[in-house]
Amino acid sequence: MSAVHFFEEAVTFGAGGHDDGPLVGVVTSPEVATGDVAVLLLNAGLLHRVGPQRMSVQLARMFAARGVPSLRFDCSGIGDSASRSDNLPFEESSVVETRDAMDWFTRRTGVRRFVLIGLCSGADQAFQAALADERVVGAVLLEPYPYETPGFRRERVLRPLRRADTWKRALTGGYHLTYRVLKRLAGEYEAPVDAGVAVRAIPSRAVAERGYHTLLDRGVSLYVLYTAGQLGSYNYEGQFWDMHPSLPKEHDGLWYDYFGASDHTFSQAALRELLLTHVGRWFGARFGA
Amino acid sequence: MSGERGEPIFFDGARRRLFGMWREGASPVVLCPPTGEEYAPALRGLRLLESRLARRGFATLRFDWSCAGDSQGDGADATWEEWVMDVGAAIDEARRRSGAATVTLLGVRLGGSAAAVAATQRDDVARIALWEPVTLGRDFVEEKRAAHLALLEIEERERPGARRYRRDGECLGHPFPAALQEQLRRVNAGALRKPPAPDALLVRNLPFPKDGALLETLEMRCERARREQVPELPPWVDDELLEAAPVPAKSIACLETWIAEESP
């Protein structure tokens, strides 16, 4: 067993209202803290705080090795956190709860500067929370808002034509071929009830672009990363710059990467490790840890 | 803290600190979840079951396996032996917190297999429910390897550059070290030599022709054994993890009824 250089504690904090349950999270604290920034790791879609393929746990422990504390937590209604009793839509409640998390962490540790990390809807949450709260000094946005461009539409036509087995893919489709076979065998079974569904509330391209400018003007460090895992909405490396042509390509506060070999959730361990390396490098360059 | 809300905890496993969700109450139920990629889609249903049991006054403890979830350890270091010991540690923790002399075990998929093996080594498991347990570890390993290769094939067709990132020892996004695979190949839940508990429930969703040995073993070894076929798609047979969280309502109801109606 490798030596452990961090301490983890299960915590609860915040509440949506008088009768609402608290939010559940795990704080990862380094043996020796460096700097004055903490990291908040946000839910990816409806996945709980551990993250896809345990990615948030790996990020938390990577940061701890660098002397940076973190909190990974479940927003209300996700993972182990109770649901809210008010009717606040997720795109609002997630920002409220991110601010609650920062409040709680500051009360507990004194840290007042935060870097948010989120994938997919988690990236949306990080983006909106950064806009809403000046305590956010950095954000890693994994697969943030996608917008079609002429290049996207062109690539959408050309990409399948480059593959000789397009017809075979059309027949088998999706992931988990074995499970799809099982699903067909179980076709007479009723559909699951009470299925929670996550829907992203995506602002207009112009609103998103103004948001990026607001954050950059405020001095927030951003690391934007897309993969080739959502080809229905993002399918080439330069799409981010084409989506937001007014954003500066040469700006210390705006880093961009495209993981063309990765799926949406960095399923392959080697790609996940590469992601951690890139995030660590960005954090070190921007925050000195 | 109210049993209905749950309290996140860390407790001592045999070798590492384990994460758990504890709900106060009486007659503790220890939930041994699925492993790997099967856990996340099952979580919502398990939480619903915990909540319903809590309303009936039961204590519950669901834990993350060592080297997985929020528990200590890297996935590459996971072993079957430690997972079986994790069950024992969770039973001890549930008994310590509740003051109860016995527990009910609920094991799901490979968690059910580990629960059954662990229970045969103890005398404080009064009842055990197994939901779609893995009977033969070698079948499980081969199914996972085949699914993983199928996924890689599709991935690499979509993203040809992904091929250079192939690595042994992983499966469907989760660590699946060779040593663990070899240990799992020797698992045979149908060859238990002692009863896991006096009272047993086996819940199946999908048709599973190799169930005979496990059911026979339970019927032979346990004082009371029952099998329920619940025609419902289990939540781990779904690849849409980020966008949807299905709840297998019929299976949850079956488990809740059995646990609640026949509890000592």
Side-chain angles (χ1 to χ4, degrees), chain A residues 19 47 49 53-54 61 72 79-80 163 165 169 174-175 179 189 193-194 196-198 228 231 262 269 273, chain B residues 5 19 44 47 62 69-71 73 144 151 154-155 157-159 167 170 173 205 242-245 249:
Chain A
D19 293 322
L47 291 175
R49 68 199 166 272
Q53 286 74 248
R54 218 185 177 201
R61 294 173 182 176
R72 53 188 184 273
D80 289 309
R163 293 199 307 274
D165 59 347
R169 188 175 71 84
Y175 302 117
Y179 292 152
Y189 293 158
V193 299
D194 192 28
V197 178
L231 296 174
S262 179
E273 286 172 16
Chain B
R5 289 182 180 174
F19 176 86
R44 198 158 189 252
R47 269 202 68 212
R62 168 179 32 96
D70 281 313
S71 291
K144 292 301 175 186
L151 174 64
I154 293 167
E155 283 286 312
R157 208 178 296 131
E158 292 275 348
R159 291 168 282 277
R167 183 189 281 184
E170 62 175 328
N205 300 123
L242 292 189
E243 292 84 25

Side-chain angles (χ1 to χ4, degrees), chain B residues 22-70:
Chain B
W22 167 251
R23 293 176 188 247
E24 283 179 1
S27 303
V29 180
V30 175
L31 289 88
C32 308
T35 57
E37 83 291 351
E38 296 182 354
Y39 179 48
L43 179 57
R44 198 158 189 252
L46 293 179
R47 269 202 68 212
L48 178 63
L49 178 61
E50 290 162 20
S51 177
R52 288 184 177 171
L53 291 174
R55 274 188 229 125
R56 290 175 179 263
F58 288 89
T60 63
L61 174 62
R62 168 179 32 96
F63 65 96
D64 286 348
W65 302 101
S66 51
C67 306
D70 281 313

